[in-house]
Amino acid sequence: MWGDGKDALPVVALLVAGWYIANAGAAFYTKAVFREVVGNFNIDPTFADRLLLCLCVTTVQLAVTGVAGKVQNAMCGSAAACPWRYLRNMYHEDRKTAYHLALVAGCNAVGTATTNIGYIYGSVSLVQVLKSMEPAMTYLCDVLILGSPHDPTALMGVGLVIAGACYASFNDTSFNAMSVSAALTSNVVLPVRNIIIKKVFGSGAPAPPVLPSPQVSPSVKESPGDNRKPNGFAMFALISSMGAVLTAVTCAALMTTTVMQPIPQQSTFLAASGYAAYNSFSFMVLGHMSPVLHALLNVFKRAFTIVVNIQLTNTPPTMEFLIGLCISIIGLTIYVKAKKKSPITTKDVMRGLVFVLVSLVLADLVTGGKRTKTVAQYIPVVRSPKLGHKYVPFDAWGACDGRVEQLSCERTVVAKSAGALQQGDDMSGVCAAVLAGAGAADEGEAQLVNGDVGVCLQIGDVVGVVVGADGVGVAAGDAQSVAAQVGTDAEVVPRIVMAMNVVYRPPSPKHDLKRSKDTNLGNFVWSYGAARVIDPYTTKIVQASACGKGSEVQALVIASANALYLRKPELVVGHIQGYISHVRNCAAPSAVFGIGIQAEFKDEEWLKTAGLPDKQHKLMELLESRMEGKAIGVRGQVTEQALLNSGITKSSPLGCPSLTIARDPNLAATMARRWRATREKLEAGKRIRLVLTLPALHTPEMKERFAPVLKVFPTLYEQHDTRFVLQTPQDRAWTKKYTQIDQNHVLTFNDTDSWTKYMEGVDLVFSTRIHGTMAAIGGGAPAFVVPTDFRIQELVDAMRIPYLPMEEAVKPFSSLQETMSRVVRDYGVFEKNRRSKIAEYKSILAGMGARLHPQLETVLQAPLEIPPPDLPS
């Protein structure tokens, strides 16, 4: 059986292990490529977009296989059959056979491409179960085309394969027409390929006679392997190379009408290498054993691929899926035995059943158990939700009346509708269970930082916890059953754990008191934006101090502001060293939100060539090593240039993360309408509700230059219903210099939610602080900022927010409406830029396995409303 005797058993075992692991890895990384690229689209990609992506990945897979065959052929020496010379000679001497070989290559390319289309539309487990029907199609082709005798036992096996595949597929949450159609197309095309090979080249027959050599130049010396028919992997590599040419030409044609999205190079290479490796291993294994045993191992290989990908994607299967898989494996075993005229034993059936459970354990070992707590959760029957199950919408931040700072979901079912589930409004049972489980059941106990619920349902930007008839949240293992109940297009999203150096916590007496002691309340605005851009339902956010050996952290975000001091790096050396420690301890995919340089206007020319100091450069180098794409979100092009001057290329000018605070799909249109309403009030001589913020003036030169603006503020206070919003202790000292300013009109905010909420009711914000401006914009208020330093100007340019240039601000004051007329603003550009930045955050998060906040997804998908130009005065 083993070909080389029992001494070859260890070698065969290693080859089989390599075969199984390579196949599972190829499927996983192929799906990973599709998931990442499709996730980077701002809107749902079209069929043409997906087809182009699939064909490009297919081309790489086939090309790498061809190269692998060439390398293997070279290693075998000059006496080995050379596939490419064989093809050349066959083209000259037996063109009909050459055309048949081209047809085989085309079928192989189409079969591989349609399998990939199945992956892009559905899960690996769904496609692999459907692919288990391939032997059934081979049997039908064998009987109908080649006229092979009908075998009732083989037919029974075929029937079980189809029944099991159908039963498992219809219970898969990713079941959809495109995925099923693509997988079934592959099931037809690949057997046709096999039939052509069998009919034209023979199966198991000796190699055809050596073809006579074509007339060649005497100087060309051919090796003995020039005309011999290549066998095994060499032949497969040949048809893969020919297929790669076909798919590459098709890709080039599609690119004339469809824009190709960048594909992740590492995952694509791993997918292609896995594809080539598992085919190579398959032929090597076949060389050491009988075709019957090889066919049986091929059956179990598919089951192994399914369970490994279940582990890697953390998607627990339903019991229906496992039953269907077992039925298909039994059917495949019967089919293989019948075709090879080998008797079926009870042991064969038992082996098939046991293999599913054994594969679960092996898959857990292969994946290292990274994404799951235990394999045991996959074995019990997943109970179906009973009538009376509901979903209760909740806010992940400050859940359970503020007693749980963040309540995240172990599994989130993303669907287009709630299906049979009804919406409820009672979270009391869920909260009681969460708090009791954390030992915080008494009302007087402290808040719980991170709470867990089992399954949530997301419909659009609304997320609710799924509860049973008893009012308690269902377990994570129920996710697939919930998904089956709400629709076949539902997706089960596992939760990840992300660490952040700064986590903005929801309002509470404890956190508000802590924030009130900060010397700059504007810090809470950018840290709020950084935390709230992330989906809090599918991401458990912890402090970066939680990183370390044995940590469950899977991603890291460094949220920062003035961390890059180029002239005086000693001022931030402690912060930078802390960031370096976080990155080293977490050892996970990383990103940066909002980092920038501290600079004055006089530094403009110097900054064009300035680079990062050593420590800051070391931090950026370390971060770059933890990311694939551009995941260092910097304030603007000035900071980006400083990084480029130091050789750091993975940065993108995103501005401040506070740009994402507002969830109004057409924020610019709202701001434009309110701007016009304010101007009309002023032109009618009415008082408006005005908010002023005071500048940060660090040098005597800045104070002298900005003095004309500050002199206007008392006048504006008297002319309108004015409030001062303070950010630093120095701001209050300034207001106290003017006796006419009522201190009840001087406001401070210790949480960003109340700050932005207040701004919803004001008519205009005249700001000299960037984060005071962003809090106003977060509330949809018409606002503009006067850039007092190069740092603010950089942020203004990156975010396209309205601003009054310094040279305009210091001109003699006439009226507020005249000042408004000098503000530089373009709300249409602002809205397009805002959505572009949100899409970049989405891409960065996807690169770490995380998701964008559902409300921001709604912003990206909403129709774009371009505000009309201002009416003439």
Side-chain angles (χ1 to χ4, degrees):
M1 177 184 293
W2 299 106
D4 296 325
K6 293 185 177 180
D7 292 341
L9 183 58
V11 175
V12 173
L14 289 175
L15 290 175
V16 171
W19 181 26
Y20 278 33
I21 293 171
N23 185 68
F28 172 75
Y29 282 110
T30 301
K31 179 64 178 178
V33 171
F34 296 152
R35 186 185 297 111
E36 180 175 344
V37 177
V38 170
N40 289 340
F41 280 86
N42 294 341
I43 58 176
D44 190 40
T46 64
F47 174 75
D49 294 324
R50 295 174 189 259
L51 178 61
L52 178 58
L53 174 60
C54 286
L55 288 175
C56 287
V57 172
T58 301
T59 301
V60 177
Q61 289 176 323
L62 296 176
V64 169
T65 303
V67 171
K70 184 73 173 177
V71 171
Q72 187 183 77
N73 183 258
M75 294 173 63
C76 291
S78 61
C82 179
W84 291 269
R85 292 195 185 108
Y86 169 77
L87 177 62
R88 181 196 66 188
N89 294 340
M90 185 170 59
Y91 177 78
H92 285 290
E93 302 297 332
D94 188 0
R95 192 159 296 185
K96 183 178 179 181
T97 303
Y99 289 151
H100 280 122
L101 188 61
L103 182 59
V104 169
C107 289
N108 185 66
V110 172
T112 304
T114 49
T115 300
N116 287 338
I117 292 173
Y119 285 148
I120 203 171
Y121 279 100
S123 66
V124 170
S125 56
L126 171 66
V127 174
Q128 288 293 322
V129 167
L130 291 169
K131 290 284 289 177
S132 68
M133 296 168 62
E134 188 177 313
M137 300 305 301
T138 302
Y139 173 77
L140 293 176
C141 290
D142 204 18
V143 172
L144 297 177
I145 299 176
L146 295 181
S148 299
H150 167 65
D151 187 333
T153 306
L155 184 61
M156 181 182 71
V158 166
L160 287 174
V161 169
I162 294 175
C166 290
Y167 189 70
S169 301
F170 286 130
N171 287 282
D172 192 287
T173 57
S174 67
F175 182 90
N176 63 84
M178 282 303 303
S179 185
V180 172
S181 300
L184 293 179
T185 301
S186 176
N187 284 351
V188 173
V189 174
L190 292 180
V192 169
R193 175 201 65 183
N194 297 339
I195 294 297
I196 296 172
I197 292 175
K198 186 174 181 180
K199 194 168 185 178
V200 176
F201 299 98
S203 178
V210 175
L211 296 170
S213 300
Q215 296 298 318
V216 294
S217 170
S219 62
V220 179
K221 183 178 180 181
E222 295 191 2
S223 68
D226 281 350
N227 296 321
R228 283 194 288 126
K229 174 188 172 184
N231 293 311
F233 184 66
M235 176 61 84
F236 185 78
L238 174 61
I239 64 173
S240 294
S241 300
M242 297 169 66
V245 175
L246 173 64
T247 55
V249 170
T250 309
C251 283
L254 277 175
M255 285 182 184
T256 60
T257 58
T258 305
V259 178
M260 178 62 194
Q261 295 289 323
I263 60 176
Q265 297 179 4
Q266 182 178 351
S267 296
T268 305
F269 176 75
L270 289 171
S273 299
Y275 177 84
Y278 90 73
N279 281 293
S280 178
F281 276 122
S282 177
F283 285 107
M284 285 191 283
V285 169
L286 182 58
H288 286 81
M289 62 181 59
S290 69
V292 175
L293 182 56
H294 183 272
L296 284 173
L297 288 175
N298 195 39
V299 170
F300 298 142
K301 178 209 70 179
R302 201 172 296 283
F304 181 81
T305 298
I306 291 172
V307 294
V308 166
N309 278 272
I310 283 172
Q311 286 288 84
L312 288 170
T313 57
N314 204 14
T315 307
T318 60
M319 181 53 66
E320 292 90 345
F321 180 89
L322 290 177
I323 291 173
L325 180 59
C326 289
I327 293 172
S328 289
I329 290 175
I330 293 171
L332 280 169
T333 305
I334 294 173
Y335 170 78
V336 170
K337 289 281 189 173
K339 290 296 290 179
K340 300 301 180 182
K341 308 299 181 184
S342 179
I344 302 169
T345 65
T346 305
K347 289 183 179 180
D348 292 326
V349 178
M350 294 305 298
R351 286 189 191 117
L353 292 172
V354 171
F355 184 81
V356 175
L357 298 180
V358 173
S359 291
L360 286 168
V361 178
L362 291 176
D364 197 50
L365 294 174
V366 170
T367 59
K370 288 183 179 179
R371 297 287 179 120
T372 54
K373 296 178 181 178
T374 172
V375 176
Q377 65 177 302
Y378 293 124
I379 298 176
V381 175
V382 179
R383 61 186 185 277
S384 299
K386 302 171 185 175
L387 289 176
H389 274 214
K390 299 179 179 180
Y391 73 101
V392 183
F394 70 101
D395 190 343
W397 293 105
C400 300
D401 297 324
R403 300 202 62 214
V404 181
E405 292 185 0
Q406 187 202 359
L407 187 61
S408 59
C409 317
E410 292 184 58
R411 300 286 187 280
T412 300
V413 178
V414 182
K416 294 181 180 179
S417 69
L421 295 182
Q422 300 296 314
Q423 183 172 325
D425 57 6
D426 185 6
M427 280 275 291
S428 59
V430 175
C431 292
V434 169
L435 293 168
D442 295 334
E443 289 295 328
E445 297 240 358
Q447 287 183 315
L448 179 63
V449 175
N450 292 106
D452 306 320
V453 292
V455 182
C456 294
L457 175 64
Q458 177 185 331
I459 305 169
D461 58 7
V462 176
V463 181
V465 58
V466 179
V467 300
D470 55 1
V472 178
V474 302
D478 286 324
Q480 291 287 356
S481 295
V482 172
Q485 195 173 22
V486 299
T488 57
D489 59 344
E491 175 190 5
V492 178
V493 179
R495 183 180 64 185
I496 74 163
V497 180
M498 175 183 287
M500 295 186 72
N501 62 310
V502 177
V503 182
Y504 183 95
R505 297 297 178 183
S508 71
K510 177 180 69 175
H511 293 306
D512 290 348
L513 176 62
K514 182 179 179 180
R515 285 192 280 260
S516 70
K517 296 178 180 179
D518 197 293
T519 56
N520 185 353
L521 301 182
N523 288 334
F524 311 136
V525 178
W526 64 258
S527 61
Y528 179 97
R532 299 311 189 262
V533 74
I534 303 161
D535 184 348
Y537 301 96
T538 61
T539 310
K540 180 178 180 179
I541 301 177
V542 300
Q543 292 285 353
S545 56
C547 293
K549 189 175 181 180
S551 162
E552 60 178 351
V553 170
Q554 297 160 275
L556 169 68
V557 168
I558 298 293
S560 183
N562 304 328
L564 303 180
Y565 276 62
L566 306 191
R567 290 195 182 276
K568 296 181 178 180
E570 65 276 6
L571 295 178
V572 291
V573 66
H575 289 293
I576 297 298
Q577 187 57 53
Y579 296 157
I580 291 173
S581 297
H582 291 326
V583 178
R584 284 176 173 168
N585 291 337
C586 283
S590 304
V592 180
F593 293 168
I595 201 165
I597 62 172
Q598 187 76 9
E600 308 296 340
F601 284 114
K602 63 182 180 182
D603 298 325
E604 182 174 3
E605 286 301 317
W606 173 72
L607 287 171
K608 293 179 180 179
T609 57
L612 299 177
D614 290 344
K615 278 280 186 184
Q616 297 171 30
H617 183 255
K618 184 176 182 180
L619 169 64
M620 293 302 161
E621 277 191 325
L622 185 58
L623 283 163
E624 273 202 322
S625 69
R626 300 286 167 81
M627 56 185 68
E628 286 192 13
K630 291 188 174 184
I632 302 176
V634 298
R635 281 177 172 169
Q637 293 181 344
V638 177
T639 303
E640 182 185 33
Q641 186 60 51
L643 267 62
L644 287 172
N645 293 342
S646 300
I648 306 299
T649 60
K650 294 182 179 179
S651 66
S652 182
L654 297 181
C656 180
S658 57
L659 182 64
T660 67
I661 290 176
R663 304 301 158 94
D664 184 345
N666 281 287
L667 174 63
T670 300
M671 294 167 62
R673 285 192 291 269
R674 292 178 64 180
W675 180 278
R676 286 196 297 274
T678 297
R679 192 183 61 186
E680 289 169 0
K681 284 184 180 180
L682 291 171
E683 290 172 351
K686 297 180 180 179
R687 287 165 60 88
I688 65 168
R689 296 193 64 187
L690 177 67
V691 166
L692 302 174
T693 70
L694 298 171
L697 305 175
H698 304 293
T699 65
E701 293 81 9
M702 292 175 64
K703 291 178 181 179
E704 181 180 355
R705 188 181 184 193
F706 206 74
V709 181
L710 288 177
K711 289 179 181 179
V712 174
F713 281 8
T715 302
L716 291 174
Y717 176 80
E718 293 176 349
Q719 292 178 349
H720 300 284
D721 183 12
T722 305
R723 300 293 186 274
F724 288 91
V725 174
L726 311 185
Q727 290 185 209
T728 68
Q730 291 79 13
D731 292 348
R732 186 172 295 279
W734 184 90
T735 62
K736 289 184 176 180
K737 291 195 302 182
Y738 297 88
T739 56
Q740 71 267 40
I741 297 178
D742 183 350
Q743 291 300 305
N744 291 323
H745 288 190
V746 178
L747 309 176
T748 58
F749 295 97
N750 295 326
D751 73 271
T752 305
D753 289 303
S754 59
W755 194 343
T756 56
K757 184 69 176 176
Y758 181 84
M759 293 299 169
E760 293 177 3
V762 305
D763 295 318
L764 183 68
V765 178
F766 185 155
S767 179
T768 58
R769 291 287 186 92
I770 188 62
H771 295 117
T773 309
M774 299 315 296
I777 291 175
F784 64 91
V785 64
V786 179
T788 58
D789 58 26
F790 209 54
R791 171 184 60 93
I792 296 178
Q793 187 65 56
E794 179 184 21
L795 286 163
V796 165
D797 294 341
M799 297 187 289
R800 304 300 181 91
I801 61 176
Y803 74 101
L804 180 64
M806 176 69 83
E807 57 270 21
E808 296 291 335
V810 298
K811 288 180 178 179
F813 177 75
S814 164
S815 66
L816 187 54
Q817 56 263 46
E818 195 274 335
T819 299
M820 290 177 67
S821 69
R822 291 186 271 123
V823 171
V824 178
R825 71 193 186 285
D826 187 327
Y827 286 119
V829 171
F830 166 81
E831 186 61 55
K832 291 177 182 178
N833 180 70
R834 170 181 174 242
R835 293 195 182 197
S836 174
K837 302 304 186 197
I838 293 173
E840 286 195 64
Y841 280 113
K842 177 181 177 179
S843 177
I844 291 172
L845 291 169
M848 299 189 292
R851 294 167 65 92
L852 187 71
H853 197 292
Q855 293 173 348
L856 292 176
E857 284 281 5
T858 299
V859 171
L860 291 180
Q861 296 169 10
L864 180 63
E865 180 182 347
I866 301 297
D870 284 343
L871 299 174
S873 300

